[in-house]
Amino acid sequence: MKKKIVVSGMRATGPIHLGNYFGAVKNWVDLQEHYDGYFFVADWHALTTDYGDPSAIARNSLEVVADCIAAGLDPERSVIFLQSLVPAHAELHLLFSMFTPLGWLERVPTYKEQIRQIENKDLATYGFLGYPVLQAADILIYRGDMVPVGEDQASHLELSRELARRFNGYYGDTLPEPQALFTPAAKVPGLDGRKMSKSYGNTINIADGPDEIRRKCMSMFTDPARVRRDDPGHPETCNLFQLHRLVSPPDVRERVARECRLAQIGCVEDKKLIADLLIAFLEPMRRRREELMRDPRGLLELLQRGSKRAAVRAEETLGSVRAAMSLDYERLFAERTE
Ligand code: TRP
């Protein structure tokens, strides 16, 4: 039986952190087992916000790939590639843009939210409004069955499905509607308790070494209701304990929860403990990514090979799309000679 196809991308905004890992990459790694994976670095999507200074995007793209491979993505099993090396995404995006109603894009919640939140960049651009159209092209160009993403991408996925339907409605059945495969909300809090995010500067990265991890863990916010060492703590509302849920063996986690509630373990002690656990968890990945980053040319070649494989399937789709939209000019003559 043919395996189903999963497609997912990661914006090239910098080295990946625990939030990216638990929210996306770990899922991709697990899916490789049963699906044909198309996983890519979305460098054009990074450009929708960083167009004013795109100088870091190429380097970030390589960092993202190194992190993903270090985390277990396997370039033999999955197609790992760079969005901008598969120009078919751009052509499909252009064709989609012809029939995408503006209202659909203006209503996307992430759009409204980012326009409001990001103040230092002018996001009132054509490209930024079209972000989800490009994402739809990324997915539909591979006729993807499943798209593993976090809940925050739900509206983008819905738009991809609506664009597939609209395309099929105008031009005939060509593009299957992809299903969202939402990552079981692995909420990863950042050092300050807000969602872990590069833009908040509260991340722990795969690239962080032991000293860095210790320093960051010591600065973590813990249970705000536990003011003194002998106050009982509340693991269920403590950031730090969320990390135990992700990386600690069950017996350690249960002991910490119990001792915290009884004020037997203090926050400082617990920070040291979580630092050690995180170091043990991340160290093999960090070493592997460091090794990969020593040969950036090799990483680029890996992406070039992956992009060639991706382009084969993308061109197939584009062929049907052009034909459906009456853009296959050869056909004009083929019909006449029949
Ligand atoms: N918008 C996605 C994010 O920010 C990244 C992305 C771009 C993507 N293209 C995609 C995800 C296609 C899934 C499929 O996380």
Side-chain angles (χ1 to χ4, degrees):
M1 223 185 78
K2 259 193 90 99
K3 285 187 186 166
K4 289 198 169 173
I5 291 191
V6 301
V7 183
S8 202
M10 170 100 42
R11 279 160 50 93
T13 48
I16 74 175
H17 53 70
L18 283 178
N20 304 132
Y21 176 78
F22 285 107
V25 180
K26 179 178 186 297
N27 217 27
W28 299 359
V29 171
D30 297 340
L31 287 165
Q32 297 185 110
E33 206 66 53
H34 303 291
Y35 294 88
D36 279 334
Y38 286 77
F39 301 115
F40 65 96
V41 184
D43 52 345
W44 281 333
H45 276 106
L47 209 48
T48 61
T49 51
D50 298 353
Y51 62 84
D53 177 13
S55 58
I57 296 178
R59 174 83 189 175
N60 287 342
S61 296
L62 295 188
E63 305 251 9
V64 168
V65 183
D67 282 332
C68 288
I69 294 173
L73 264 204
D74 176 357
E76 298 300 321
R77 267 195 296 181
S78 300
V79 185
I80 302 172
F81 64 101
L82 189 59
Q83 185 185 37
S84 67
L85 289 180
V86 188
H89 293 226
E91 184 171 334
L92 192 59
H93 168 257
L94 173 101
L95 296 173
F96 283 174
S97 73
M98 303 302 165
F99 58 82
T100 305
L102 278 179
W104 288 11
L105 298 176
E106 287 159 351
R107 273 196 298 274
V108 172
T110 47
Y111 175 71
K112 293 195 283 193
E113 202 179 291
Q114 302 246 50
I115 288 275
R116 225 178 323 112
Q117 281 189 2
I118 301 179
E119 285 160 356
N120 55 343
K121 292 171 189 161
D122 179 7
L123 296 183
T125 60
Y126 177 52
F128 189 69
L129 181 66
Y131 183 111
V133 183
L134 180 57
Q135 183 161 348
D138 293 339
I139 297 164
L140 299 174
I141 197 84
Y142 299 105
R143 285 158 283 146
D145 297 296
M146 308 281 200
V147 186
V149 283
E151 292 279 359
D152 63 318
Q153 296 292 310
S155 59
H156 293 172
L157 239 295
E158 204 38 52
L159 197 97
S160 302
R161 293 161 55 84
E162 280 164 345
L163 283 175
R165 276 203 290 279
R166 197 167 171 89
F167 185 101
N168 296 338
Y170 280 130
Y171 316 113
D173 263 342
T174 313
L175 301 170
E177 277 179 50
Q179 301 288 321
L181 199 65
F182 291 122
T183 313
K187 281 221 186 83
V188 184
L191 301 173
D192 57 1
R194 294 187 288 175
K195 181 182 175 210
M196 188 175 282
S197 160
K198 185 166 182 251
S199 51
Y200 294 151
N202 63 359
T203 66
I204 295 173
N205 302 334
I206 288 187
D208 289 345
D211 294 344
E212 182 100 51
I213 294 177
R214 280 204 188 88
R215 189 182 58 73
K216 286 182 172 177
C217 285
M218 295 318 284
S219 77
M220 267 191 88
F221 290 22
T222 53
D223 174 9
R226 190 177 181 192
V227 184
R228 276 171 306 246
R229 168 67 180 79
D230 48 8
D231 290 340
H234 309 82
E236 55 293 331
T237 55
C238 175
N239 291 310
L240 209 152
F241 192 72
Q242 293 300 319
L243 293 180
H244 277 295
R245 289 211 167 92
L246 297 170
V247 299
S248 301
D251 57 318
V252 175
R253 184 188 322 153
E254 276 154 33
R255 175 176 62 80
V256 168
R258 194 179 53 240
E259 293 182 355
C260 172
R261 288 198 186 93
L262 297 169
Q264 286 170 353
I265 183 175
C267 294
V268 174
E269 201 181 329
D270 194 14
K271 286 175 181 181
K272 289 185 184 148
L273 176 62
I274 200 75
D276 287 336
L277 288 159
L278 280 172
I279 291 165
F281 178 78
L282 289 174
E283 197 56 11
M285 285 193 244
R286 184 184 71 83
R287 284 175 195 266
R288 178 100 182 88
R289 71 98 66 193
E290 205 176 84
E291 199 182 300
L292 289 160
M293 283 309 290
R294 253 184 250 136
D295 178 19
R297 156 73 52 193
L299 280 174
L300 177 61
E301 283 167 2
L302 184 152
L303 285 173
Q304 287 166 334
R305 281 194 298 277
S307 301
K308 271 201 190 122
R309 282 170 72 191
V312 172
R313 189 167 172 88
E315 284 299 328
E316 255 170 46
T317 309
L318 211 46
S320 331
V321 163
R322 288 193 197 113
M325 293 184 81
S326 306
L327 288 165
D328 179 357
Y329 282 69
E330 289 296 337
R331 234 199 216 176
L332 221 52
F333 307 101
E335 273 161 23
R336 223 181 258 169
T337 52
E338 252 162 32

